[in-house]
Amino acid sequence: MTGENTGDDPLITRYRGLICDLDGVVYRGPSAVPHAVATLNHVTSRGVPVVFATNNASRPPEDVSDHLRGLGVAPRGWSVVTSSQAAAAYLAERLGRGTPVFAVGGPGVARALTEAGLTPVRVAELDGAPVEAVVQGLGTDVTWRELAAVGRLADAGATWVATNVDLTLPTPYGRAPGNGALVALVRTATSASPYVVGKPQAALFDLARARLGTVHSETLVCGDLLDTDIAGANSAGLDSLFVLSGASRLRDLAFAEPSARPTYVAADLSGLLAPGTPLPAPERAPDALSRKQNTAGSDEMLRSVVTAAWAVRDAGGVVSDDDGLWEKIEQQLGLGAVV
């Protein structure tokens, strides 16, 4: 599945489309991640389309697009898909046009349902309005009444779709409960289980790839979270680039299980423009770090550290999980701290 190694050519030239995460990859809150905007503009200027795929169901794609343009991302060559749109697409394939669907979450949920030809119903409209499905997404104003209605309708047989099950989400004040926390709350009061469309499930990646018009081998995923972006890419059969500009650190990558291991690793999104080398199978490089640490560049050193750790762990050995040690290794590799 990995694109052919073309020597010094940039990694992105091996692919015809890019699915890119947002928070921690392109921006952190209101500010752009260093090198991200320039890299994306270079990628799209070369004719490689980009789809930004986000688990955030609360904002409509237009709001996300405004944010990106405000950071300096060029106005053409990319689009945005959300987990709300993935949920709406899933239901639109199974329900008749105009079918009422209970919409829980921010404005992005109702907007996606409307655009898919379904009729969003809010909690105040439920009395006397039968619905065949429920879409539960995150919103800052979600109420107990809405959550209770989700459980009641799911128990009565309505199709329950969750946009994502991320337990937390980043805010300027630290981590806060995510949609997964609210889904778990509903599950304590019902015997039903939701169908999940967001990362790490394949549905959002499939929707993004359909937007790109690319086959699996032509598509690269870029993200900063192993258990959503990278595990999701693997579940969708796609190559992936893991970047260390977001919440996950080098220690997390070293301890990643095979299902959450990426194809490539880089400090940030500018790795798309470097001659990326796939992470080798761990058994091929059990002594990679000792062989290369004195002669390799920082990118090769980074790959060597990761593959050496994987090799030791997969062979049943012990790798130190001391946070201080891993932070020191990051500093030696020139990896900037997350801000």
Side-chain angles (χ1 to χ4, degrees):
M1 180 171 58
T2 303
E4 292 183 3
N5 193 324
T6 52
D8 293 332
D9 289 341
L11 168 61
I12 192 59
T13 61
R14 304 174 200 171
Y15 300 91
R16 294 188 178 182
L18 174 67
I19 299 173
C20 191
D21 184 45
L22 288 167
D23 193 33
V25 177
V26 180
Y27 53 67
R28 301 186 193 110
S31 303
V33 170
H35 313 298
V37 171
T39 298
L40 290 167
N41 290 343
H42 185 84
V43 167
T44 54
S45 72
R46 296 178 65 105
V48 179
V50 178
V51 170
F52 297 104
T54 175
N55 264 2
N56 189 330
S58 61
R59 293 199 293 173
E62 309 91 85
D63 291 356
V64 180
S65 298
D66 289 343
H67 186 183
L68 291 169
R69 284 190 290 267
L71 295 175
V73 178
R76 289 176 293 277
W78 55 270
S79 61
V80 176
V81 297
T82 71
S83 57
S84 286
Q85 290 178 308
Y90 173 80
L91 290 175
E93 292 179 353
R94 292 158 176 79
L95 303 176
R97 189 168 183 83
T99 299
V101 177
F102 180 36
V104 176
V109 177
R111 176 75 64 83
L113 290 169
T114 299
E115 291 176 349
L118 303 169
T119 302
V121 176
R122 289 299 191 180
V123 68
E125 305 167 314
L126 279 180
D127 292 341
V131 299
E132 294 187 28
V134 176
V135 174
Q136 182 180 357
L138 187 65
T140 57
D141 298 320
V142 173
T143 66
W144 177 91
R145 185 183 177 195
E146 288 177 301
L147 297 179
V150 172
R152 183 176 71 251
L153 292 168
D155 270 341
T159 301
W160 178 18
V161 180
T163 59
N164 67 288
V165 288
D166 298 346
L167 291 175
T168 64
L169 75 159
T171 75
Y173 314 103
R175 295 203 168 270
N179 194 55
L182 300 183
V183 169
L185 182 62
V186 174
R187 292 192 68 175
T188 64
T190 178
S191 59
S193 296
Y195 179 82
V196 181
V197 296
K199 309 171 192 177
Q201 305 304 316
L204 182 58
F205 294 97
D206 292 341
L207 179 62
R209 190 171 57 79
R211 180 80 61 88
L212 289 170
T214 54
V215 299
H216 289 79
S217 61
E218 300 171 337
T219 311
L220 180 68
V221 174
C222 183
D224 71 311
L225 293 176
L226 295 164
D227 58 353
T228 55
D229 302 313
I230 306 307
N234 289 338
S235 70
L238 304 173
D239 286 353
S240 60
L241 169 67
F242 174 72
V243 294
L244 286 155
S245 56
S248 298
R249 307 312 309 148
L250 181 58
R251 176 189 178 279
D252 301 316
L253 180 57
F255 282 84
E257 295 301 321
S259 62
R261 292 177 182 175
T263 315
Y264 311 94
V265 60
D268 54 49
L269 203 55
S270 65
L272 291 170
L273 307 183
T277 301
L279 289 163
E283 63 271 13
R284 288 173 51 195
D287 60 340
L289 181 57
S290 61
R291 281 203 318 268
K292 300 180 180 180
Q293 61 183 352
N294 294 323
T295 60
S298 60
D299 287 346
E300 189 60 44
M301 282 282 292
L302 175 57
R303 285 189 292 273
S304 295
V305 169
V306 173
T307 54
W310 288 353
V312 171
R313 294 190 68 242
D314 291 349
V318 177
V319 174
S320 173
D321 62 356
D322 180 74
D323 287 336
L325 173 62
W326 285 101
E327 289 175 3
K328 185 176 181 180
I329 293 174
E330 286 193 353
Q331 293 171 2
Q332 292 174 339
L333 293 174
L335 300 173
V338 177
V339 295

